[in-house]
Amino acid sequence: MPIILIVATYLIGSIPVGYLLTRYATGKNIREYGSGNIGSTNVKRIAGKKIALITQLLDMLKGLLPVSLYLLFFSNSGTSSFWVYGVALAAILGHDFSVFLKFKGGKGVNTTLGASVLLAPVAVFASVALYFIVKWRFKYVSLGSLVLAAALPIISFIQNNITPTFYYLLVCTVLITVLHAKNIQRLLRNEEIPSN
């Protein structure tokens, strides 16, 4: 059953919410505008704040709901607790490498937060706070996202030392950082687009 949940979670994570909502609201293919990304930041540029907020919430739910289901139905069933990290990563990988978009996708920040909030609530909320501070100070969503990603395993380590959750969050950090490679290059060249 956990394997079935992981496969189903990947497929749910693969649903390109930002692409679909932007197409519905504007008729545009979001992958041909702005940064070409299907995440809420680019949705805001193309379809406005309301659609971007809905995208953000649904992308979070893609991670939160499967992890919640696992914890609800399997956490006390004798099934190895390590499966929950597989479920969480399946949602994130589905979003990042969507089977419906030829294994292209978003950068996974919102889905990572949704998938991780029940596993590491302190790390998630503290990292989100750092994101808003960095975004407010430097005006770059990408820089805030990179700081958020780096902070997740660091805060988990400070709180609980080395645990399976630490390693899981470290994988999340690597994924977010790799998918922000172009943003990092633009930041270094001082060519990144500031947030509104």
Side-chain angles (χ1 to χ4, degrees):
M1 287 301 294
I3 293 176
I4 293 172
L5 180 58
I6 285 174
V7 173
T9 298
Y10 170 79
L11 294 174
I12 292 169
S14 288
I15 297 171
V17 174
Y19 173 90
L20 294 172
L21 289 178
T22 301
R23 175 75 82 175
Y24 173 78
T26 68
K28 295 178 179 178
N29 180 350
I30 192 173
R31 300 176 70 195
E32 298 175 354
Y33 295 87
S35 66
N37 191 265
I38 65 169
S40 59
T41 300
N42 201 38
V43 170
K44 183 179 177 181
R45 297 187 187 110
I46 312 306
K49 291 182 180 180
K50 181 179 178 180
I51 300 299
L53 179 59
I54 296 171
T55 298
Q56 191 170 30
L57 291 174
L58 290 177
D59 280 345
M60 287 180 178
L61 284 174
K62 289 195 299 187
L64 176 61
L65 289 180
V67 171
S68 299
L69 287 173
Y70 177 89
L71 294 174
L72 182 63
F73 291 109
F74 295 104
S75 60
N76 296 317
S77 66
T79 305
S80 171
S81 61
F82 288 101
W83 283 108
V84 72
Y85 302 109
V87 172
L89 286 172
I92 297 164
L93 291 172
H95 178 80
D96 293 348
F97 308 102
S98 171
V99 68
F100 304 118
L101 295 177
K102 299 180 179 179
F103 299 101
K104 303 289 185 180
K107 296 175 182 176
V109 176
N110 290 321
T111 306
T112 296
L113 293 176
S116 306
V117 68
L118 296 179
L119 304 176
V122 173
V124 166
F125 285 113
S127 297
V128 169
L130 286 173
Y131 163 84
F132 281 111
I133 292 170
V134 171
K135 180 186 171 186
W136 168 77
R137 175 63 180 84
F138 297 100
K139 310 301 182 188
Y140 295 118
V141 170
S142 57
L143 182 59
S145 297
L146 288 165
V147 170
L148 179 154
L152 284 169
I154 294 172
I155 294 168
S156 176
F157 175 79
I158 293 171
Q159 184 186 12
N160 296 311
N161 213 322
I162 299 292
T163 63
T165 299
F166 166 80
Y167 289 116
Y168 155 74
L169 292 173
L170 195 60
V171 172
C172 293
T173 299
V174 171
L175 283 169
I176 291 172
T177 303
V178 169
L179 291 169
H180 276 82
K182 292 182 179 179
N183 300 89
I184 293 171
Q185 293 171 7
R186 288 195 294 268
L187 285 166
L188 292 174
R189 296 195 300 262
N190 199 28
E191 297 174 356
E192 184 68 316
I193 302 171
S195 62
N196 295 330

